[in-house]
């Protein structure tokens, strides 16, 4: 790296933006068009506050544009052009941000002001300690695969405007094997990795005995260091601090070594963004917890990926309480889409996001699909559907998945039988979301199965569960229950379907056709099966139908509380074929009475479905 620390600070905001535009302009761009300069009146942004950790996310929804966030803080002005910017605030209060917008033609001459509120001052740092140290201790390293894992910029910015490391750019400098360990007891250990060196900027006077004085950065031999860490607040900011002369993977200037202090810019259980700003230059670091793993799913950048060249329009249906409101926030950045849901919803299909594409598929070809979800809040019933545009009944899959806050969920469908679709839509539903939920959907791939992109999809390991219906471990073996039915073709309830129980086997006869989910519900409200959050549980049942039924719903929930449940899954039944439905090692939930729910909505007339061999047991009981 060149000695950027020694550069004369002549960079101004507009010059930096113009530089970015020149570097990122499409090949066909020739000159700005004054008529295309964006208007402040059209600025569309979402500001989401995670009140648990005082983290605010700023998202611009305007396509083909970038934001300019301007903050007035303690008699200084700071700014950023990052879409999806995060900031952490230490103090309760109402804050403002000024927003301009720019594109390849220029910058809006006006701006808008938005306000947001932090509910509580951060008086203790237990939540941050948990992020850094886990339950006892946790290791971190520089996030080598992340753009801007090491970067610098003008003082008062996020530290990425002047230079930004591309993925793995510094692999030759012993940077990526440095291990940082934080403990809940506030201990910090720096391990310099197998090379035993720390990476140092050429402009530093510390470790001068290793400086070759040729203008290039250098590596200094160091030993493992054990010291402490702490958090402090200064103004509205929260800082990670260390004692003097604490080692860190890159010693960018003397101040970072002599008075180490890093502002928290963003935090999650797997990623931390830090900024060190000495008033002359801001350095930006991204840490990742544990070893970096290759993202799951198929390769989005491979030419096999049809989504790579797809065009699409979006449709939204955002209706808390079934009363439609403004569309959720939506921002796209290449093959990454951020959806901001400011208001809570209670039911499935109340928060729909559709990608109406120009892609087509055919019945002669098999296909693969994958994508990655990440949410800022837990969400245990997200619907993912790949469907024919304009025909909800023709689709490749309709699955319900559960998201854990800040954890990637890789959704994969492999070797799907082809369907003739002139146009394909990807439909996502976040109905049941908590307020201020931000979901990122990224690395979308739809490809022909025969097109090899080099991805190896591992077969799931055996679950090592003894699925024995007659075992004393099986709580269903002695179940006591009451049935509830809702059978309503066209939403007009009729007589209950015929139901016959024979031990642990149940036959349901659906004489009339239904057309929509939840029109053919069968509930088992148990009297004597309870579960606990202290245990893990295994569930299994076998379904068999005399007719094909698409999108059968299986749900294990609390009696009289549909929002407290282990899972909601959608499956397809093929006539006369057993479908073995298994959910091993589920995290426990405190439920006093379990309700097992099946819905056959969309069934053909005279469908007969048998549910058998139901098992619900504690995972530890495996006899």
């Amino acid at each position: 790296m060149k000695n950027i620390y020694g550069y004369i600070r002549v960079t101004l905001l507009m010059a930096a933006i113009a530089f970015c535009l020149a570097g990122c302009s499409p090949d066909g761009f020739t000159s700005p068009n004054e008529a295309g300069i964006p208007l402040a009146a059209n600025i569309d942004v979402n500001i989401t506050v995670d009140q648990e950790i005082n983290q605010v996310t700023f998202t611009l929804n305007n396509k083909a544009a970038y934001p300019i966030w301007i903050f007035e803080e303690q008699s200084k002005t700071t700014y950023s052009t990052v879409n999806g910017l995060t900031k952490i605030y230490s103090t309760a209060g109402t804050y403002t941000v000024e927003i301009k917008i720019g594109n390849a033609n220029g910058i809006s001459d006006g701006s808008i002001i938005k306000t947001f509120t932090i509910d509580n001052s951060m008086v203790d740092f237990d939540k941050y300690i948990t992020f850094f140290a886990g339950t006892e201790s946790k290791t971190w390293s520089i996030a080598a695969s992340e753009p801007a894992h090491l970067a610098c910029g003008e003082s008062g910015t996020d530290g990425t405007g002047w230079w930004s490391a591309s993925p793995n750019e510094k692999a030759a400098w012993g940077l990526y094997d440095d291990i940082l360990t934080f403990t809940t007891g506030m201990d910090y250990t720096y391990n310099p990795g197998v090379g035993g060196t720390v990476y140092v900027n050429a402009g530093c006077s510390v470790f001068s005995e290793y400086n070759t004085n040729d203008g290039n950065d250098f590596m200094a031999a160091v030993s493992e260091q054990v010291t402490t860490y702490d958090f402090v607040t200064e103004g509205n900011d929260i800082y990670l601090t260390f004692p003097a002369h604490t080692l860190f993977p890159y010693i960018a200037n003397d101040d970072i070594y002599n008075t180490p202090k890093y502002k928290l810019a963003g935090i999650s259980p797997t990623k931390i963004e830090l900024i060190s700003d000495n008033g002359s230059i801001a350095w930006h670091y991204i840490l990742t917890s544990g070893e970096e793993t290759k993202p799951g799913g198929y390769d989005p950048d491979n030419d096999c990926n049809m989504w790579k060249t797809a065009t699409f329009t979006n449709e939204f249906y955002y209706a808390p309480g079934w009363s439609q409101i403004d569309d959720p926030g939506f921002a796209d950045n290449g093959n990454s889409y951020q959806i901001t849901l400011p208001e809570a919803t209670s039911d499935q299909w109340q928060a729909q996001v559709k990608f109406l594409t120009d892609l087509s598929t055919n019945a002669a070809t098999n296909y693969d699909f994958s994508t990655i979800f990440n949410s800022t809040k837990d969400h245990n019933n997200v619907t993912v559907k790949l469907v024919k545009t304009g025909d909800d009944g023709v689709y490749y899959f309709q699955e319900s998945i559960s998201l854990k806050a800040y954890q990637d969920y890789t959704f994969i469908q492999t070797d799907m039988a082809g369907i003739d679709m002139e146009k394909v839509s990807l439909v996502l539903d976040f109905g049941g979301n908590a307020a201020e939920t931000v979901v990122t959907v990224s690395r979308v791939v739809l490809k022909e199965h025969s097109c090899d992109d080099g991805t190896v999809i591992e077969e799931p390991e055996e679950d090592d569960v003894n699925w024995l219906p007659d075992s004393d471990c099986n709580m269903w073996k002695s179940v006591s229950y009451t049935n509830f039915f809702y059978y309503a073709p066209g939403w007009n309830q009729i007589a209950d379907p015929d139901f016959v129980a024979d031990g642990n086997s149940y036959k349901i006869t659906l004489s009339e056709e239904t057309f929509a989910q939840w029109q053919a519900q069968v509930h088992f409200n148990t009297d004597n099966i309870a579960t606990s959050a202290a245990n893990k549980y295994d569930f299994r049942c076998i379904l068999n139908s005399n007719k094909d039924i698409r999108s059968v719903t299986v749900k294990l929930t609390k009696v009289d509380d549909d929002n407290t449940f282990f899972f909601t899954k959608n499956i397809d039944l093929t006539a006369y074929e057993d479908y073995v439905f298994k959910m091993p090692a589920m995290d426990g939930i405190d439920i006093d009475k379990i309700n097992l729910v099946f819905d056959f909505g969309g069934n053909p007339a005279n469908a007969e479905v048998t549910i058998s061999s139901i098992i619900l047991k504690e995972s530890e009981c495996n006899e």
Side-chain angles (χ1 to χ4, degrees):
M1 180 189 308
K2 295 180 179 179
N3 181 12
I4 301 173
Y5 180 66
Y7 279 9
I8 299 173
R9 296 177 61 244
V10 297
T11 304
L12 300 175
L13 170 59
M14 300 309 173
I17 292 169
F19 174 81
C20 292
L21 278 172
C24 303
S25 296
D27 291 339
F29 179 75
T30 55
S31 62
N33 181 352
E34 185 175 354
I37 294 176
L39 301 176
N42 295 333
I43 294 176
D44 180 15
V45 300
N46 285 102
I47 299 175
T48 306
V49 182
D50 186 339
Q51 300 290 358
E52 292 295 313
I53 55 174
N54 287 16
Q55 182 165 270
V56 187
T57 303
F58 303 87
T59 305
L60 176 71
N61 300 318
N62 300 80
K63 293 183 180 296
Y66 61 88
I68 305 167
W69 314 104
I70 304 168
F71 304 90
E72 297 291 341
E73 300 175 346
Q74 278 85 45
S75 72
K76 66 178 181 179
T77 301
T78 64
Y79 67 88
S80 174
T81 59
V82 171
N83 199 359
L85 175 74
T86 58
K87 287 176 65 71
I88 294 174
Y89 288 80
S90 66
T91 308
T94 298
Y95 297 88
T96 62
V97 56
E98 182 182 0
I99 308 137
K100 290 177 175 286
I101 186 172
N103 61 18
N105 297 297
I107 300 169
S108 60
D109 57 357
S111 64
I112 64 172
I113 303 291
K114 290 286 187 179
T115 62
F116 54 94
T117 300
I118 301 295
D119 291 344
N120 301 295
S121 295
M122 194 59 65
V123 294
D124 67 66
F125 301 105
D126 289 346
K127 292 184 178 68
Y128 298 125
I129 294 170
T130 299
F131 278 120
F132 271 82
T135 56
E136 292 183 4
S137 68
K138 195 170 179 180
T139 60
W140 297 82
S141 60
I142 293 291
S145 65
E146 290 262 5
H149 58 269
L150 185 62
C152 66
E154 188 175 1
S155 177
T157 71
D158 60 357
T160 61
W162 286 345
W163 171 82
S164 177
S166 57
N168 298 299
E169 180 178 332
K170 294 297 176 180
W173 293 88
L175 179 69
Y176 301 141
D177 65 350
D178 293 5
I179 302 298
L180 317 179
T181 303
F182 296 84
T183 75
T184 54
M186 309 304 288
D187 293 321
Y188 167 78
T189 300
Y190 170 82
N191 184 318
V194 294
T197 60
V198 64
Y199 183 30
V200 186
N201 186 286
C204 291
S205 65
V206 298
F207 302 105
S208 58
E209 63 273 28
Y210 298 98
N211 195 339
T212 57
N213 296 310
D214 59 359
N216 293 317
D217 291 351
F218 59 93
M219 294 182 286
V222 295
S223 300
E224 181 176 277
Q225 180 186 54
V226 180
T227 182
T228 60
Y229 73 99
D230 204 351
F231 297 101
V232 300
T233 62
E234 292 185 10
N236 296 325
D237 296 319
I238 297 175
Y239 290 86
L240 169 69
T241 64
F242 300 97
H245 303 160
T246 294
L247 295 170
F248 206 67
Y250 181 59
I251 307 300
N253 51 49
D254 288 357
D255 294 326
I256 283 176
Y257 183 64
N258 294 325
T259 55
K261 182 177 70 173
Y262 303 86
K263 184 170 73 173
L264 292 185
I267 191 168
S268 78
T270 59
K271 179 180 176 180
I272 293 172
E273 292 189 62
L274 302 171
I275 299 171
S276 174
D277 190 339
N278 66 358
S280 297
I281 187 171
W283 284 92
H284 181 266
Y285 299 81
I286 302 177
L287 304 181
T288 183
S289 60
E291 295 182 1
E292 289 196 87
T293 58
K294 182 180 178 181
Y298 295 98
D299 183 357
D301 298 319
N302 191 278
D303 288 341
C304 289
N305 184 16
M306 298 157 56
W307 192 274
K308 183 178 176 182
T309 57
T311 60
F312 63 85
T313 57
N314 290 112
E315 285 186 3
F316 304 95
Y317 178 74
Y318 191 23
W322 300 112
S323 297
Q324 191 167 359
I325 60 174
D326 290 340
D327 293 341
F330 183 87
D332 65 85
N333 180 19
N335 195 340
S336 181
Y337 314 98
Q338 187 178 83
I339 299 137
T340 302
L341 302 160
E343 295 197 25
T345 57
S346 56
D347 295 304
Q348 189 179 29
W349 304 119
Q350 288 185 353
Q352 301 176 39
V353 179
K354 298 181 180 181
F355 295 78
L356 310 179
T357 80
D358 61 350
L359 297 175
S360 63
T361 61
N362 64 80
T365 306
N366 283 20
Y367 295 89
D368 302 323
F369 177 88
S370 67
T371 189
I372 295 178
F373 293 86
N374 193 292
S375 174
T376 59
K377 303 283 180 75
D378 287 353
H379 195 325
N380 56 4
N381 190 26
V382 172
T383 302
V384 189
K385 187 172 184 177
L386 193 67
V387 62
K388 182 178 180 180
T389 300
D391 189 346
D392 288 341
V394 179
Y395 55 86
Y396 281 96
F397 54 78
Q398 179 177 309
E399 294 285 337
S400 296
I401 62 174
S402 296
L403 305 181
K404 295 291 186 183
Y406 301 109
Q407 295 182 15
D408 282 351
Y409 183 104
T410 302
F411 179 89
I412 300 177
Q413 297 285 319
T414 297
D415 203 10
M416 303 180 294
I419 303 172
D420 289 325
M421 292 187 182
E422 183 181 357
K423 292 185 178 180
V424 178
S425 289
L426 175 60
V427 177
L428 309 174
D429 175 64
F430 304 99
N433 65 280
E436 304 295 345
T437 295
V438 179
V439 183
T440 301
V441 183
S442 62
R443 299 178 64 86
V444 182
V445 176
L446 177 63
K447 72 178 191 69
E448 296 183 1
H449 180 69
S450 60
C451 189
D452 184 6
D453 68 353
T455 301
V456 177
I457 302 298
E458 296 182 0
E459 294 294 327
E461 297 180 1
E462 292 296 324
D463 49 46
D464 294 326
V465 178
N466 290 328
W467 298 108
L468 302 173
D470 294 327
S471 168
D472 290 338
C473 292
N474 183 16
M475 295 184 287
W476 199 270
K477 181 180 178 181
S478 57
V479 67
S480 171
Y481 65 86
T482 302
N483 285 120
F484 167 79
F485 303 95
Y486 179 75
Y487 191 24
W491 301 112
N492 295 311
Q493 191 167 1
I494 61 175
D496 293 342
D498 187 51
F499 179 88
V500 178
D502 181 12
N504 194 347
S505 180
Y506 313 90
K507 182 177 179 181
I508 300 105
T509 302
L510 302 160
S511 57
E512 293 198 27
E513 182 180 16
T514 58
F515 306 95
Q517 188 180 28
W518 304 119
Q519 288 185 354
Q521 301 176 38
V522 178
H523 295 239
F524 294 81
N525 293 313
T526 73
D527 301 319
N528 62 340
I529 297 182
T531 58
S532 167
N535 302 319
K536 286 185 175 291
Y537 293 88
D538 305 320
F539 175 85
R540 191 200 75 166
C541 67
I542 300 174
L543 297 97
N544 191 293
S545 172
N546 70 335
K547 305 231 177 137
D548 290 353
I549 308 178
R550 300 293 303 272
S551 197
V552 171
T553 303
V554 187
K555 185 172 184 176
L556 191 65
T557 183
K558 182 178 181 179
V559 171
D560 297 327
D561 184 357
D562 288 342
N563 293 319
T564 302
F565 57 88
F566 281 93
F567 58 79
T568 299
K569 293 290 183 180
N570 296 102
I571 62 174
D572 294 336
L573 300 183
T574 301
Y576 300 109
E577 292 185 7
D578 282 350
Y579 188 106
V580 181
F581 179 90
K582 295 192 293 187
M583 295 292 293
M586 301 180 296
D587 290 334
I589 304 173
D590 289 325
I591 294 179
D592 57 348
K593 294 179 181 179
I594 283 288
N595 182 21
L596 176 58
V597 180
F598 297 90
D599 174 65
F600 304 100
N603 65 279
N606 299 314
E608 296 178 354
V609 183
T610 300
I611 305 164
S612 63
S613 300
I614 299 175
I615 298 171
L616 178 61
K617 69 182 190 68
E618 294 182 7
S619 297
E620 289 187 355
C621 188
N622 205 29
E623 299 174 358

